[in-house]
Amino acid sequence: MIAAGLLIIFVVFAILMFTRKIPALLALPAIAVLVALLAKLPLVDILNVIVSQGSTKLVSVYVAVFAGAMMGRVMMQTGIAEEIIKRAAEFGGEKPLIVSFGLMAVTIILFTTLQGLGAIITLGSLVLPIMMSLGIPRKLAGTLFLLAFGTGFIFNPILFTLYRQLLGLHDDELLPPQILTFGFILMGLMLIAIFIYSMIAARRSGDILLMSAVTKEQLLKRTSQKKVPLIALLTPLIPLLLFFGFNFFGIKIDFIAAFIIGSLFAVITTNWRNAVKTLTSSAIKGIEDGTPAALLMMGIGMLLNALNLPGIKLALEPIINSLPFGSAIFYVAFFGLLSPLSLYRGPLNIFGIGIGLFTIMFGTHILPAMALLAAIMCVEQVQNICDPTNTHNVWIANFVGVQVEELTKETIIPLVIVCITGLIFQQSCFCNVFLKL
């Protein structure tokens, strides 16, 4: 009875989110409360355990989001982000193909650190006009920028901090090195996909455009002539070096601290006299940028607590355990072929109702934790790049003047292929580490 009730709740809210009648920010808390009512949890416990404790369950995740968004704003205000884009365009000279790949490479690097719609708008307003001035069709320019953003986001802290929570790691525990290894594999697959897609799209567009010559003045007309010290351009790498580099040597430096150090490095190496003013205004704007993600994390925390209620777990465990995940073929087919179900906050979307499925799967131990996390990383690529309900997808589509669904149509097949390939690669090369068959 409980399982049927859960299915009805999830289907109803999936339809509401699909039809855009209700945003995920409101849908997830509502689902959490309804699930708690279904489990016959007293009203007082719903308020305390689900709403209050659930909203702070992922506090470390959204504090990291705020810290990262603040650093992103520091990079924008100091001109670091713009200078990196400008140098990438200059490096390509008058060869649009090289310029385009250079801009995508820089976008990938920047979005390992940057996050939030503000960062998308700022960098997109620089990169997209340059790409389109090369003669690249509008839809193709938007697609390439979106693919580059999604590739960099593989290593973004909002994901890695959430992975820590899903794995149940304590504050003093280091991330398993397999996560970083698989992240690099996934990034390599994305780079291959971007290159192949670019070549096919270029051929599809006729006399490209990607190979025509334009002047440097055209390429740089959207960037300022403000100079930034060369050492300041290392800023986006600081958090990554502090977190992943020290983690490799068994030293844990939290992303929050890494972002703060990165922000300080940026203001000291650019204009230290205005450091206090820059940090203050960046913190305020960073909170604005990170608020949507923080609210979403609060809803996810509420749903996590609701789905961990004993009555709910007891009802769902037999269903989950009946799935034949002992088969590598089923594992790949389930998470790969069904990865489009991550769109529209669907049942495989970790930032939507899919958090419920994954939470139960972690709880039932139907798969080794690292095997399940590898699947989440693959499926998340499909969601992050293809989902038309993402605010960054909507903004990019509007900026280049196409329907947001057009970007989904362009990216869904390449990303599903990347997802399936990643799952197959994980099975063939990491079965002893991730998955025991």
Side-chain angles (χ1 to χ4, degrees):
M1 190 69 180
I2 290 179
L6 283 172
L7 180 61
I8 292 172
I9 292 172
F10 285 145
V11 169
V12 169
F13 277 91
I15 293 173
L16 289 174
M17 286 187 283
F18 178 81
T19 57
R20 303 188 182 182
K21 300 294 184 183
I22 183 173
L25 296 178
L26 299 178
L28 295 184
I31 294 173
V33 171
L34 290 175
V35 168
L37 290 173
L38 188 65
K40 299 180 181 180
L41 195 68
L43 180 60
V44 173
D45 289 338
I46 291 176
L47 294 175
N48 291 332
V49 177
I50 305 302
V51 178
S52 181
Q53 295 177 21
S55 63
T56 58
K57 186 178 183 67
L58 300 180
V59 63
S60 61
V61 180
Y62 53 79
V63 171
V65 169
F66 287 137
M70 181 188 79
M71 180 178 158
R73 282 291 177 176
V74 169
M75 289 178 59
M76 295 171 201
Q77 289 194 36
T78 55
I80 292 173
E82 185 174 350
E83 181 69 13
I84 292 173
I85 296 296
K86 176 184 171 183
R87 286 178 179 267
E90 287 178 332
F91 177 78
E94 298 178 0
K95 298 178 180 178
L97 180 61
I98 297 177
V99 174
S100 298
F101 285 145
L103 291 174
M104 284 189 284
V106 167
T107 301
I108 289 170
I109 293 171
L110 289 175
F111 276 106
T112 58
T113 301
L114 301 181
Q115 55 197 285
L117 185 59
I120 286 283
I121 293 173
T122 301
L123 290 188
S125 298
L126 294 171
V127 172
L128 290 171
I130 294 176
M131 282 188 171
M132 288 185 287
S133 72
L134 301 173
I136 298 175
R138 288 177 170 270
K139 183 168 69 175
L140 178 55
T143 303
L144 293 177
F145 180 70
L146 185 56
L147 288 169
F149 153 76
T151 302
F153 212 77
I154 291 172
F155 287 101
N156 200 277
I158 190 174
L159 295 179
F160 275 80
T161 312
L162 182 59
Y163 297 158
R164 290 182 59 86
Q165 293 290 331
L166 291 174
L167 292 173
L169 296 178
H170 299 295
D171 291 340
D172 59 343
E173 292 182 278
L174 299 172
L175 278 171
Q178 297 96 320
I179 299 179
L180 186 59
T181 301
F182 193 74
F184 279 117
I185 292 171
L186 197 55
M187 178 174 278
L189 293 173
M190 281 298 304
L191 292 175
I192 294 171
I194 289 175
F195 180 79
I196 294 174
Y197 174 83
S198 300
M199 294 299 99
I200 294 174
R203 188 176 296 274
R204 232 170 30 192
S205 299
D207 293 332
I208 235 206
L209 296 183
L210 283 179
M211 296 302 295
S212 60
V214 293
T215 64
K216 286 186 179 181
E217 288 73 20
Q218 286 178 297
L219 296 177
L220 304 177
K221 65 182 179 180
R222 292 299 184 105
T223 59
S224 71
Q225 298 303 312
K226 182 180 179 180
K227 291 292 183 180
V228 174
L230 190 61
I231 190 173
L233 303 186
L234 298 175
T235 298
L237 301 178
I238 298 298
L240 300 178
L241 292 174
L242 288 173
F243 183 83
F244 292 117
F246 280 77
N247 190 87
F248 180 78
F249 292 105
I251 302 173
K252 181 181 180 298
I253 295 182
D254 194 88
F255 262 123
I256 298 172
F259 278 135
I260 293 173
I261 294 172
S263 299
L264 292 173
F265 179 84
V267 294
I268 290 172
T269 55
T270 52
N271 188 359
W272 62 269
R273 292 181 179 85
N274 291 326
V276 174
K277 180 181 177 181
T278 301
L279 290 172
T280 302
S281 61
S282 296
I284 294 172
K285 292 179 180 178
I287 290 175
E288 294 177 2
D289 293 340
T291 295
L295 292 175
L296 187 64
M297 291 297 169
M298 289 181 182
I300 290 174
M302 295 180 199
L303 189 54
L304 284 172
N305 277 7
L307 290 168
N308 277 315
L309 293 173
I312 302 299
K313 293 179 67 175
L314 187 63
L316 292 179
E317 281 184 3
I319 299 174
I320 299 297
N321 287 328
S322 66
L323 297 174
F325 279 110
S327 165
I329 294 176
F330 183 83
Y331 173 86
V332 173
F334 183 87
F335 291 111
L337 297 179
L338 297 183
S339 58
L341 293 178
S342 63
L343 306 186
Y344 296 99
R345 307 294 170 181
L348 288 183
N349 188 331
I350 196 172
F351 294 108
I353 61 176
I355 189 64
L357 174 64
F358 291 124
T359 299
I360 296 168
M361 293 181 77
F362 271 108
T364 58
H365 305 291
I366 191 172
L367 281 167
M370 291 306 302
L372 183 54
L373 190 57
I376 291 174
M377 293 172 72
C378 290
V379 173
E380 176 55 28
Q381 282 304 100
V382 178
Q383 185 278 324
N384 199 32
I385 294 174
C386 306
D387 194 343
T389 66
N390 292 330
T391 54
H392 54 262
N393 288 57
V394 174
W395 182 88
I396 292 170
N398 289 337
F399 189 89
V400 299
V402 300
Q403 295 293 321
V404 66
E405 288 78 12
E406 289 296 307
L407 297 181
T408 301
K409 292 176 183 177
E410 287 292 311
T411 56
I412 187 66
I413 293 178
L415 265 296
V416 170
I417 293 173
V418 167
C419 179
I420 293 174
T421 305
L423 293 168
I424 292 174
F425 198 97
Q426 179 263 331
Q427 286 289 287
S428 61
C429 299
F430 288 86
C431 56
N432 292 328
V433 176
F434 284 135
L435 188 62
K436 296 179 181 178
L437 301 177

